[in-house]
Amino acid sequence: MLAFTSARPDARPWVRGLATLVLIAFALTGLPAQAVRIKEVAAIQGVRSNSLTGYGLVVGLDGTGDQTTQMPYTTQSLSNYMQQLGITLPAGSAQLQLKNVAAVIVTAQLPAFAQPGQTIDINVSSIGNAKSLKGGTLVTTPLRGVDGEIYALAQGNLVVGGAGASAGGSKVQINHLSAGRIPGGAQVERSVPTPLQDGDTISLGLNASDFQTARHVAAAINNKLGNGIARALDGRTVQVKAPNDPNARVNFIADLEELSIESMVPAAKVVMNTRTGSIVLNQAVTLGPCAIAHGNLSVTISSTPVISQPNALSGGQTVVAQKADIQIKQDPGIIMNLPASPQLADVVRALNALGATPQDLLAILQAIKAAGALNAELEVI
């Protein structure tokens, strides 16, 4: 028997709504299996993007930049930049109030096969105490990879999707003002070599580790392109023989990614978000017979002000005190028998019958799993 108490018995309509959504999802997943392309379940290993990052300055702000007395590296960075342009700032420049300048971190993703001269989007985020980057311009910033080499140069006017105003100590702000984006704000200076043309084979990496999917992918390739072309190395990798000619290899991969395989039933999994109370079950989740005791516990605290008035001419003062009244109410728990549920719809009906809140279901599902009655993997995000 599993026991659990609840402190919020008033969220049952929410659970019914959740059950309705899950039942709709089950109705959709109950449709006949449809074929999916290999490109939707796997990708060519080695063909990936690379992270770039850099440190730069945003200028042209309307008094919303860093307070340089608290952020000395902003002034130091500007001084170094000016010296590169042949301008030497006077002594004591560290005390300059450059409120239209902000120190930022620039990040970007260098796509696979990106060539010099092409442009990529960049994200710009303040690292100081700048109030807003709106209207600012990023000066030329080198973007480096993990190897320390420069792969792109970033520069341009920021697009900040927010607005704000302040006056008389009041402030109103919409969205975030200390981060922005520059579409096409970086130009690629160096390409990253990929192993696509290396060797006699290519490797397909599955998006999720599953031996059945790997077997189906290899079988689909062999049935279409010839026996022995592909073989599954493990639950996530399928090795495929490919032509050595670069043009023929590209055409081969293009045809390979369009091959269809029948969609498989995924492994049973329950995903729980403890921060929001969201619970998602896929179509493979089943429930064994079990018994659950579920009750409600409520605590009510009320505070009543009590005034102590002194007698006349006593010299005392009037005192206001608080009198707290605490009441605890616990409903009796009822043991409910949940029958075996071979389908997702049956699982939803069984959980809905408990009348538990989403937060309660998080604990109840973990307890059912610990008892061995929930045939699914629990994943907490």
Side-chain angles (χ1 to χ4, degrees):
M1 180 182 71
L2 306 177
F4 187 80
T5 58
S6 169
R8 289 191 305 240
D10 55 346
R12 297 185 182 183
W14 196 97
V15 180
R16 298 190 187 99
L18 174 64
T20 302
L21 293 177
V22 178
L23 285 175
I24 294 175
F26 171 74
L28 295 176
T29 55
L31 297 175
Q34 298 180 355
V36 297
R37 295 174 298 178
I38 288 181
K39 67 183 347 179
E40 295 164 354
V41 298
I44 306 298
Q45 287 188 356
V47 179
R48 63 179 183 85
S49 61
N50 292 271
S51 299
L52 303 180
T53 184
Y55 170 83
L57 294 174
V58 171
V59 299
L61 302 177
D62 188 14
T64 60
D66 291 338
Q67 302 295 324
T68 52
T69 55
Q70 302 174 12
M71 303 295 168
Y73 51 80
T74 303
T75 303
Q76 182 181 354
S77 301
L78 182 61
S79 176
N80 294 339
Y81 180 74
M82 299 297 286
Q83 288 181 5
Q84 295 177 7
L85 299 179
I87 301 175
T88 302
L89 295 179
S93 59
Q95 302 299 325
L96 294 178
Q97 299 295 317
L98 304 177
K99 294 183 179 181
N100 63 335
V101 182
V104 295
I105 290 292
V106 183
T107 58
Q109 289 291 326
L110 182 65
F113 311 119
Q115 298 300 318
Q118 296 179 347
T119 59
I120 57 177
D121 299 342
I122 60 174
N123 297 312
V124 181
S125 304
S126 171
I127 59 174
N129 55 7
K131 297 179 181 179
S132 173
L133 298 181
K134 199 174 185 66
T137 300
L138 176 71
V139 299
T140 303
T141 302
L143 301 182
R144 304 176 185 271
V146 294
D147 56 358
E149 299 292 338
I150 298 176
Y151 287 90
L153 293 178
Q155 181 174 286
N157 299 323
L158 272 74
V159 177
V160 179
S166 60
S170 300
K171 179 180 179 182
V172 176
Q173 179 174 319
I174 301 175
N175 295 333
H176 206 51
L177 298 177
S178 58
R181 186 174 177 87
I182 306 179
Q187 188 175 56
V188 178
E189 298 293 332
R190 176 182 300 183
S191 61
V192 178
T194 60
L196 182 64
Q197 303 294 343
D198 297 343
D200 298 330
T201 62
I202 59 174
S203 295
L204 294 176
L206 302 183
N207 298 335
S209 180
D210 185 76
F211 289 96
Q212 184 180 9
T213 304
R215 182 179 64 178
H216 280 263
V217 170
I221 297 174
N222 290 329
N223 293 336
K224 184 67 176 181
L225 303 179
N227 190 25
I229 296 295
R231 59 172 183 163
L233 300 182
D234 50 42
R236 198 152 194 156
T237 307
V238 177
Q239 189 179 71
V240 184
K241 296 180 180 178
N244 291 326
D245 179 68
N247 183 63
R249 177 166 291 198
V250 171
N251 294 333
F252 175 81
I253 294 176
D255 296 335
L256 179 70
E257 291 183 331
E258 293 297 324
L259 294 181
S260 299
I261 61 174
E262 184 178 349
S263 60
M264 282 73 65
V265 177
K269 179 177 289 188
V270 178
V271 180
M272 302 184 297
N273 191 325
T274 57
R275 297 183 297 273
T276 63
S278 304
I279 303 173
V280 178
L281 303 82
N282 66 12
Q283 60 180 348
V285 176
T286 60
L287 187 66
C290 61
I292 299 177
H294 178 69
N296 294 318
L297 175 66
S298 60
V299 179
T300 303
I301 302 177
S302 60
S303 180
T304 304
V306 177
I307 300 177
S308 177
Q309 182 71 31
N311 296 327
L313 304 178
S314 65
Q317 296 180 353
T318 302
V319 178
V320 179
Q322 298 290 333
K323 180 181 179 182
D325 184 17
I326 303 177
Q327 296 181 354
I328 300 177
K329 180 181 178 182
Q330 183 174 8
D331 297 337
I334 301 176
I335 299 179
M336 302 183 62
N337 181 29
L338 299 185
S341 305
Q343 295 181 346
L344 177 61
D346 300 328
V347 176
V348 172
R349 293 191 188 97
L351 295 178
N352 192 37
L354 297 175
T357 67
Q359 295 294 338
D360 295 341
L361 284 177
L362 294 177
I364 291 176
L365 287 173
Q366 295 181 51
I368 296 176
K369 174 65 176 179
L374 180 63
N375 303 318
E377 176 188 355
L378 289 180
E379 180 178 345
V380 180
I381 60 176

